[in-house]
Amino acid sequence: MRFSKSFVKTLRTAPKDETARGAQFLSRAGYVHKELAGIYDYLPLGLRVLENIKAIIRDELNQIGCQEILMSSLQNPEPWQKTDRWDIEKMDIWFKTELAAGGELGLAPTHEEPVTKMLKSYISSYKDLPIYVYQFQTKFRNELRAKSGIMRGREFLMKDLYSFSTTEEEHDAFYHQVETAYKNIFDRLGIGADTFQTFASGGVFSKYSHEFQTLTGIGEDTIYYNADKSVVLNEEVLNDEVLAELGVKREDLQSTKAAEVGNIFTLKTKYSAPLDLAFNDKDGQRKTVLMGCYGIGVSRVMGVIAEKFCDNRGLIWPEQIAPYKYYLIGIGEEGTKQADALYQDHEDAVFYDDRDLRPGEKFADAELMGMPYRVVVSDKTLATGQAEITDRATGESKMVSLSKIF
Ligand code: ATP
Ligand code: MG
């Protein structure tokens, strides 16, 4: 991308109610545009980051046999009434709207009900199962507090996966596959070392669910961990019974702030029973399908990464999710000519700052925007047929011959 052709400009100031450093940089560097509290637009560079995060998640989920779908945002109240989640008293985050022709619709805050209802059309026998479906979809939640930038949106992008199994063993085996896939995903996203699978409350049907919590000072959750971090748990399950069961003492646990980037739940028949999603087993018996659900907050992950990978000058994207790998600057007449040629040969990997500005302004924007490598071609570097490459994370520079940069 050529900076001169982009409508996006870097800004000197962030929206004034944006408090976290990463969130301020995302606005100032032109990745997102804030509409209202908890409501954001993703601009070209921000969209590329989101797409890179999605590609990693998609790759890992496809490897364990999941199929991608895209469900509707508008919700028919009927299945939600059957599970008793339509009432605002039961689920206080609903956005609802009215049909011109009469009747109410909801904007999906999650998709357990519609996906269960949809699969009634496709499941009748044990031969149809298991089924693992997921989507990347915009969720709507009327969150009371939305002050953590894109980490808590009223409209946000979630990856939600649902599993449909015939037996507990089949469900458990898949649940473990998802645990491994999530570990791989967070490793590949660059936050694996700081992301812990925690014990969280599991509701009525299973003792625990699991959350994936990433350490960050701006996280809204508090997690507790022992010395070697082999036991990590959420505040809500920090009680004597759970501590005894996990074999840890309260005084051996430390607490820290973290953000929930994902979670996995065993649902058993919580949704399939009221919505009557059943199959005929081998022996002709009719049985209720066993479900699980598995979320990742895709836009929250982007916010967490922006916060964890930045310094006081700007963002520092991990290479695998950076919108472009290189930020290219040409200085002087010959430097600009050579930079133009390099850009034309490597458009996919290069964000080219071809604006008519002083080098100092370009250097500042390169640091703000956080591409992993800055490439400078100037009359000086060209004297030896080279370019200067600077690593955004370490600040280290080296000279590389033009033909060997990319
Ligand atoms: P939280 O406790 O943070 O409100 P949740 O328990 O409501 O999360 P789920 O409904 O299970 O979360 O959603 C799955 C994932 O979506 C979460 O693990 C989180 O990463 C993300 N998520 C949830 N709410 C939001 C939001 N308002 N904005 C952005 N991401 C969110
Ligand atoms: Mg919530």
Side-chain angles (χ1 to χ4, degrees), residues 362-390:
K362 297 186 182 185
F363 289 169
D365 277 348
E367 299 208 295
L368 177 62
M369 296 170 92
M371 302 329 156
Y373 301 98
R374 186 187 74 194
V375 179
V376 175
V377 191
S378 67
D379 297 347
K380 199 167 102 200
T381 71
L382 286 171
T384 50
Q386 292 178 304
E388 181 198 51
I389 300 189
T390 307

PDB file of all heavy atoms in Angstrom, residues 362-390:
ATOM      1  N   LYS A 362       8.249  10.795   8.728  1.00  0.00           N
ATOM      2  CA  LYS A 362       8.025   9.404   8.300  1.00  0.00           C
ATOM      3  C   LYS A 362       8.560   8.421   9.340  1.00  0.00           C
ATOM      4  O   LYS A 362       7.926   7.400   9.622  1.00  0.00           O
ATOM      5  CB  LYS A 362       8.698   9.153   6.950  1.00  0.00           C
ATOM      6  CG  LYS A 362       8.122  10.014   5.835  1.00  0.00           C
ATOM      7  CD  LYS A 362       8.717   9.632   4.499  1.00  0.00           C
ATOM      8  CE  LYS A 362       8.160  10.527   3.402  1.00  0.00           C
ATOM      9  NZ  LYS A 362       8.615  10.117   2.074  1.00  0.00           N
ATOM     10  N   PHE A 363       9.733   8.739   9.908  1.00  0.00           N
ATOM     11  CA  PHE A 363      10.282   7.844  10.935  1.00  0.00           C
ATOM     12  C   PHE A 363       9.333   7.761  12.125  1.00  0.00           C
ATOM     13  O   PHE A 363       9.117   6.691  12.690  1.00  0.00           O
ATOM     14  CB  PHE A 363      11.657   8.342  11.409  1.00  0.00           C
ATOM     15  CG  PHE A 363      12.746   8.182  10.388  1.00  0.00           C
ATOM     16  CD1 PHE A 363      13.979   8.788  10.570  1.00  0.00           C
ATOM     17  CD2 PHE A 363      12.552   7.416   9.242  1.00  0.00           C
ATOM     18  CE1 PHE A 363      14.999   8.641   9.634  1.00  0.00           C
ATOM     19  CE2 PHE A 363      13.552   7.258   8.297  1.00  0.00           C
ATOM     20  CZ  PHE A 363      14.786   7.881   8.494  1.00  0.00           C
ATOM     21  N   ALA A 364       8.768   8.897  12.517  1.00  0.00           N
ATOM     22  CA  ALA A 364       7.857   8.896  13.669  1.00  0.00           C
ATOM     23  C   ALA A 364       6.619   8.055  13.364  1.00  0.00           C
ATOM     24  O   ALA A 364       6.156   7.276  14.208  1.00  0.00           O
ATOM     25  CB  ALA A 364       7.461  10.337  14.020  1.00  0.00           C
ATOM     26  N   ASP A 365       6.075   8.192  12.151  1.00  0.00           N
ATOM     27  CA  ASP A 365       4.896   7.389  11.795  1.00  0.00           C
ATOM     28  C   ASP A 365       5.243   5.900  11.679  1.00  0.00           C
ATOM     29  O   ASP A 365       4.418   5.035  12.019  1.00  0.00           O
ATOM     30  CB  ASP A 365       4.267   7.901  10.495  1.00  0.00           C
ATOM     31  CG  ASP A 365       3.336   9.084  10.749  1.00  0.00           C
ATOM     32  OD1 ASP A 365       3.027   9.337  11.944  1.00  0.00           O
ATOM     33  OD2 ASP A 365       2.917   9.747   9.787  1.00  0.00           O
ATOM     34  N   ALA A 366       6.450   5.611  11.212  1.00  0.00           N
ATOM     35  CA  ALA A 366       6.867   4.200  11.127  1.00  0.00           C
ATOM     36  C   ALA A 366       6.832   3.590  12.527  1.00  0.00           C
ATOM     37  O   ALA A 366       6.373   2.456  12.719  1.00  0.00           O
ATOM     38  CB  ALA A 366       8.268   4.086  10.527  1.00  0.00           C
ATOM     39  N   GLU A 367       7.285   4.331  13.513  1.00  0.00           N
ATOM     40  CA  GLU A 367       7.287   3.802  14.886  1.00  0.00           C
ATOM     41  C   GLU A 367       5.876   3.727  15.444  1.00  0.00           C
ATOM     42  O   GLU A 367       5.509   2.772  16.111  1.00  0.00           O
ATOM     43  CB  GLU A 367       8.170   4.679  15.770  1.00  0.00           C
ATOM     44  CG  GLU A 367       9.595   4.667  15.258  1.00  0.00           C
ATOM     45  CD  GLU A 367      10.619   4.889  16.336  1.00  0.00           C
ATOM     46  OE1 GLU A 367      10.608   5.999  16.906  1.00  0.00           O
ATOM     47  OE2 GLU A 367      11.411   3.968  16.603  1.00  0.00           O
ATOM     48  N   LEU A 368       5.065   4.718  15.147  1.00  0.00           N
ATOM     49  CA  LEU A 368       3.682   4.706  15.622  1.00  0.00           C
ATOM     50  C   LEU A 368       2.906   3.519  15.040  1.00  0.00           C
ATOM     51  O   LEU A 368       2.174   2.826  15.751  1.00  0.00           O
ATOM     52  CB  LEU A 368       3.007   6.028  15.217  1.00  0.00           C
ATOM     53  CG  LEU A 368       1.526   6.200  15.554  1.00  0.00           C
ATOM     54  CD1 LEU A 368       1.305   6.149  17.064  1.00  0.00           C
ATOM     55  CD2 LEU A 368       1.003   7.532  14.975  1.00  0.00           C
ATOM     56  N   MET A 369       3.102   3.270  13.745  1.00  0.00           N
ATOM     57  CA  MET A 369       2.288   2.245  13.077  1.00  0.00           C
ATOM     58  C   MET A 369       2.783   0.824  13.318  1.00  0.00           C
ATOM     59  O   MET A 369       2.017  -0.128  13.189  1.00  0.00           O
ATOM     60  CB  MET A 369       2.208   2.544  11.585  1.00  0.00           C
ATOM     61  CG  MET A 369       1.480   3.863  11.341  1.00  0.00           C
ATOM     62  SD  MET A 369       1.604   4.412   9.640  1.00  0.00           S
ATOM     63  CE  MET A 369       0.152   3.689   8.973  1.00  0.00           C
ATOM     64  N   GLY A 370       4.053   0.674  13.635  1.00  0.00           N
ATOM     65  CA  GLY A 370       4.532  -0.591  14.167  1.00  0.00           C
ATOM     66  C   GLY A 370       4.755  -1.755  13.220  1.00  0.00           C
ATOM     67  O   GLY A 370       4.707  -2.909  13.649  1.00  0.00           O
ATOM     68  N   MET A 371       5.026  -1.492  11.921  1.00  0.00           N
ATOM     69  CA  MET A 371       5.411  -2.625  11.069  1.00  0.00           C
ATOM     70  C   MET A 371       6.729  -3.192  11.628  1.00  0.00           C
ATOM     71  O   MET A 371       7.569  -2.434  12.127  1.00  0.00           O
ATOM     72  CB  MET A 371       5.663  -2.213   9.616  1.00  0.00           C
ATOM     73  CG  MET A 371       4.561  -1.543   8.825  1.00  0.00           C
ATOM     74  SD  MET A 371       2.894  -1.955   9.172  1.00  0.00           S
ATOM     75  CE  MET A 371       2.098  -0.457   8.568  1.00  0.00           C
ATOM     76  N   PRO A 372       6.933  -4.502  11.505  1.00  0.00           N
ATOM     77  CA  PRO A 372       8.109  -5.127  12.136  1.00  0.00           C
ATOM     78  C   PRO A 372       9.464  -4.573  11.663  1.00  0.00           C
ATOM     79  O   PRO A 372      10.392  -4.487  12.444  1.00  0.00           O
ATOM     80  CB  PRO A 372       7.969  -6.605  11.757  1.00  0.00           C
ATOM     81  CG  PRO A 372       6.510  -6.794  11.512  1.00  0.00           C
ATOM     82  CD  PRO A 372       6.001  -5.510  10.950  1.00  0.00           C
ATOM     83  N   TYR A 373       9.564  -4.189  10.377  1.00  0.00           N
ATOM     84  CA  TYR A 373      10.853  -3.704   9.879  1.00  0.00           C
ATOM     85  C   TYR A 373      10.696  -2.404   9.103  1.00  0.00           C
ATOM     86  O   TYR A 373       9.813  -2.282   8.250  1.00  0.00           O
ATOM     87  CB  TYR A 373      11.525  -4.738   8.957  1.00  0.00           C
ATOM     88  CG  TYR A 373      11.772  -6.040   9.651  1.00  0.00           C
ATOM     89  CD1 TYR A 373      10.881  -7.109   9.500  1.00  0.00           C
ATOM     90  CD2 TYR A 373      12.874  -6.198  10.484  1.00  0.00           C
ATOM     91  CE1 TYR A 373      11.088  -8.311  10.168  1.00  0.00           C
ATOM     92  CE2 TYR A 373      13.094  -7.396  11.155  1.00  0.00           C
ATOM     93  CZ  TYR A 373      12.198  -8.441  10.996  1.00  0.00           C
ATOM     94  OH  TYR A 373      12.394  -9.618  11.663  1.00  0.00           O
ATOM     95  N   ARG A 374      11.580  -1.457   9.392  1.00  0.00           N
ATOM     96  CA  ARG A 374      11.624  -0.219   8.607  1.00  0.00           C
ATOM     97  C   ARG A 374      12.785  -0.339   7.629  1.00  0.00           C
ATOM     98  O   ARG A 374      13.897  -0.709   8.008  1.00  0.00           O
ATOM     99  CB  ARG A 374      11.860   0.962   9.549  1.00  0.00           C
ATOM    100  CG  ARG A 374      11.776   2.312   8.867  1.00  0.00           C
ATOM    101  CD  ARG A 374      12.190   3.408   9.829  1.00  0.00           C
ATOM    102  NE  ARG A 374      13.637   3.400  10.029  1.00  0.00           N
ATOM    103  CZ  ARG A 374      14.263   4.050  11.012  1.00  0.00           C
ATOM    104  NH1 ARG A 374      13.573   4.735  11.912  1.00  0.00           N
ATOM    105  NH2 ARG A 374      15.576   3.995  11.123  1.00  0.00           N
ATOM    106  N   VAL A 375      12.503  -0.059   6.364  1.00  0.00           N
ATOM    107  CA  VAL A 375      13.539  -0.138   5.329  1.00  0.00           C
ATOM    108  C   VAL A 375      13.764   1.270   4.789  1.00  0.00           C
ATOM    109  O   VAL A 375      12.818   1.902   4.307  1.00  0.00           O
ATOM    110  CB  VAL A 375      13.100  -1.067   4.171  1.00  0.00           C
ATOM    111  CG1 VAL A 375      14.174  -1.117   3.088  1.00  0.00           C
ATOM    112  CG2 VAL A 375      12.786  -2.463   4.694  1.00  0.00           C
ATOM    113  N   VAL A 376      14.982   1.761   4.898  1.00  0.00           N
ATOM    114  CA  VAL A 376      15.297   3.102   4.408  1.00  0.00           C
ATOM    115  C   VAL A 376      16.309   2.996   3.263  1.00  0.00           C
ATOM    116  O   VAL A 376      17.350   2.364   3.406  1.00  0.00           O
ATOM    117  CB  VAL A 376      15.871   3.985   5.540  1.00  0.00           C
ATOM    118  CG1 VAL A 376      16.314   5.337   4.990  1.00  0.00           C
ATOM    119  CG2 VAL A 376      14.824   4.166   6.642  1.00  0.00           C
ATOM    120  N   VAL A 377      15.926   3.597   2.140  1.00  0.00           N
ATOM    121  CA  VAL A 377      16.842   3.651   0.994  1.00  0.00           C
ATOM    122  C   VAL A 377      17.166   5.121   0.756  1.00  0.00           C
ATOM    123  O   VAL A 377      16.262   5.920   0.495  1.00  0.00           O
ATOM    124  CB  VAL A 377      16.180   3.066  -0.281  1.00  0.00           C
ATOM    125  CG1 VAL A 377      17.236   2.891  -1.378  1.00  0.00           C
ATOM    126  CG2 VAL A 377      15.480   1.751   0.006  1.00  0.00           C
ATOM    127  N   SER A 378      18.427   5.473   0.883  1.00  0.00           N
ATOM    128  CA  SER A 378      18.813   6.876   0.699  1.00  0.00           C
ATOM    129  C   SER A 378      20.057   6.937  -0.184  1.00  0.00           C
ATOM    130  O   SER A 378      20.684   5.910  -0.463  1.00  0.00           O
ATOM    131  CB  SER A 378      19.122   7.511   2.061  1.00  0.00           C
ATOM    132  OG  SER A 378      20.286   6.912   2.610  1.00  0.00           O
ATOM    133  N   ASP A 379      20.381   8.151  -0.568  1.00  0.00           N
ATOM    134  CA  ASP A 379      21.585   8.289  -1.387  1.00  0.00           C
ATOM    135  C   ASP A 379      22.796   7.729  -0.635  1.00  0.00           C
ATOM    136  O   ASP A 379      23.691   7.130  -1.219  1.00  0.00           O
ATOM    137  CB  ASP A 379      21.805   9.763  -1.749  1.00  0.00           C
ATOM    138  CG  ASP A 379      20.646  10.290  -2.607  1.00  0.00           C
ATOM    139  OD1 ASP A 379      19.851   9.442  -3.099  1.00  0.00           O
ATOM    140  OD2 ASP A 379      20.511  11.513  -2.765  1.00  0.00           O
ATOM    141  N   LYS A 380      22.749   7.885   0.700  1.00  0.00           N
ATOM    142  CA  LYS A 380      23.865   7.404   1.525  1.00  0.00           C
ATOM    143  C   LYS A 380      23.941   5.866   1.514  1.00  0.00           C
ATOM    144  O   LYS A 380      25.000   5.298   1.315  1.00  0.00           O
ATOM    145  CB  LYS A 380      23.683   7.914   2.953  1.00  0.00           C
ATOM    146  CG  LYS A 380      24.941   7.891   3.794  1.00  0.00           C
ATOM    147  CD  LYS A 380      24.756   8.694   5.076  1.00  0.00           C
ATOM    148  CE  LYS A 380      24.516   7.733   6.243  1.00  0.00           C
ATOM    149  NZ  LYS A 380      23.888   8.381   7.393  1.00  0.00           N
ATOM    150  N   THR A 381      22.791   5.216   1.726  1.00  0.00           N
ATOM    151  CA  THR A 381      22.835   3.734   1.759  1.00  0.00           C
ATOM    152  C   THR A 381      23.148   3.177   0.374  1.00  0.00           C
ATOM    153  O   THR A 381      23.758   2.125   0.235  1.00  0.00           O
ATOM    154  CB  THR A 381      21.506   3.117   2.261  1.00  0.00           C
ATOM    155  OG1 THR A 381      20.486   3.300   1.266  1.00  0.00           O
ATOM    156  CG2 THR A 381      21.054   3.728   3.572  1.00  0.00           C
ATOM    157  N   LEU A 382      22.717   3.934  -0.650  1.00  0.00           N
ATOM    158  CA  LEU A 382      22.917   3.445  -2.019  1.00  0.00           C
ATOM    159  C   LEU A 382      24.382   3.516  -2.454  1.00  0.00           C
ATOM    160  O   LEU A 382      24.778   2.844  -3.414  1.00  0.00           O
ATOM    161  CB  LEU A 382      22.051   4.234  -3.001  1.00  0.00           C
ATOM    162  CG  LEU A 382      20.557   3.889  -2.955  1.00  0.00           C
ATOM    163  CD1 LEU A 382      19.757   4.873  -3.798  1.00  0.00           C
ATOM    164  CD2 LEU A 382      20.315   2.454  -3.416  1.00  0.00           C
ATOM    165  N   ALA A 383      25.152   4.317  -1.727  1.00  0.00           N
ATOM    166  CA  ALA A 383      26.582   4.422  -2.062  1.00  0.00           C
ATOM    167  C   ALA A 383      27.224   3.048  -2.047  1.00  0.00           C
ATOM    168  O   ALA A 383      28.166   2.768  -2.792  1.00  0.00           O
ATOM    169  CB  ALA A 383      27.276   5.361  -1.074  1.00  0.00           C
ATOM    170  N   THR A 384      26.693   2.149  -1.166  1.00  0.00           N
ATOM    171  CA  THR A 384      27.212   0.771  -1.130  1.00  0.00           C
ATOM    172  C   THR A 384      26.190  -0.211  -1.700  1.00  0.00           C
ATOM    173  O   THR A 384      26.255  -1.413  -1.431  1.00  0.00           O
ATOM    174  CB  THR A 384      27.542   0.370   0.329  1.00  0.00           C
ATOM    175  OG1 THR A 384      26.401   0.676   1.153  1.00  0.00           O
ATOM    176  CG2 THR A 384      28.756   1.112   0.846  1.00  0.00           C
ATOM    177  N   GLY A 385      25.188   0.307  -2.437  1.00  0.00           N
ATOM    178  CA  GLY A 385      24.166  -0.551  -3.051  1.00  0.00           C
ATOM    179  C   GLY A 385      23.261  -1.219  -2.029  1.00  0.00           C
ATOM    180  O   GLY A 385      22.732  -2.304  -2.260  1.00  0.00           O
ATOM    181  N   GLN A 386      23.067  -0.554  -0.881  1.00  0.00           N
ATOM    182  CA  GLN A 386      22.329  -1.198   0.205  1.00  0.00           C
ATOM    183  C   GLN A 386      21.148  -0.363   0.706  1.00  0.00           C
ATOM    184  O   GLN A 386      20.931   0.763   0.264  1.00  0.00           O
ATOM    185  CB  GLN A 386      23.299  -1.434   1.383  1.00  0.00           C
ATOM    186  CG  GLN A 386      24.365  -2.474   1.067  1.00  0.00           C
ATOM    187  CD  GLN A 386      25.325  -2.632   2.220  1.00  0.00           C
ATOM    188  OE1 GLN A 386      25.943  -1.662   2.663  1.00  0.00           O
ATOM    189  NE2 GLN A 386      25.457  -3.851   2.716  1.00  0.00           N
ATOM    190  N   ALA A 387      20.385  -0.980   1.618  1.00  0.00           N
ATOM    191  CA  ALA A 387      19.332  -0.277   2.352  1.00  0.00           C
ATOM    192  C   ALA A 387      19.566  -0.529   3.830  1.00  0.00           C
ATOM    193  O   ALA A 387      20.204  -1.519   4.197  1.00  0.00           O
ATOM    194  CB  ALA A 387      17.966  -0.807   1.950  1.00  0.00           C
ATOM    195  N   GLU A 388      19.026   0.375   4.652  1.00  0.00           N
ATOM    196  CA  GLU A 388      19.145   0.172   6.096  1.00  0.00           C
ATOM    197  C   GLU A 388      17.845  -0.444   6.607  1.00  0.00           C
ATOM    198  O   GLU A 388      16.770   0.100   6.372  1.00  0.00           O
ATOM    199  CB  GLU A 388      19.397   1.512   6.792  1.00  0.00           C
ATOM    200  CG  GLU A 388      19.556   1.371   8.288  1.00  0.00           C
ATOM    201  CD  GLU A 388      19.371   2.701   9.029  1.00  0.00           C
ATOM    202  OE1 GLU A 388      18.345   3.377   8.793  1.00  0.00           O
ATOM    203  OE2 GLU A 388      20.244   3.038   9.834  1.00  0.00           O
ATOM    204  N   ILE A 389      17.953  -1.587   7.295  1.00  0.00           N
ATOM    205  CA  ILE A 389      16.767  -2.246   7.849  1.00  0.00           C
ATOM    206  C   ILE A 389      16.815  -2.164   9.356  1.00  0.00           C
ATOM    207  O   ILE A 389      17.808  -2.544   9.979  1.00  0.00           O
ATOM    208  CB  ILE A 389      16.700  -3.729   7.430  1.00  0.00           C
ATOM    209  CG1 ILE A 389      16.648  -3.808   5.907  1.00  0.00           C
ATOM    210  CG2 ILE A 389      15.481  -4.411   8.041  1.00  0.00           C
ATOM    211  CD1 ILE A 389      16.363  -5.164   5.370  1.00  0.00           C
ATOM    212  N   THR A 390      15.731  -1.637   9.943  1.00  0.00           N
ATOM    213  CA  THR A 390      15.679  -1.481  11.401  1.00  0.00           C
ATOM    214  C   THR A 390      14.542  -2.315  11.960  1.00  0.00           C
ATOM    215  O   THR A 390      13.407  -2.234  11.489  1.00  0.00           O
ATOM    216  CB  THR A 390      15.479   0.007  11.772  1.00  0.00           C
ATOM    217  OG1 THR A 390      16.485   0.771  11.101  1.00  0.00           O
ATOM    218  CG2 THR A 390      15.590   0.214  13.277  1.00  0.00           C
TER     219      THR A 390
END
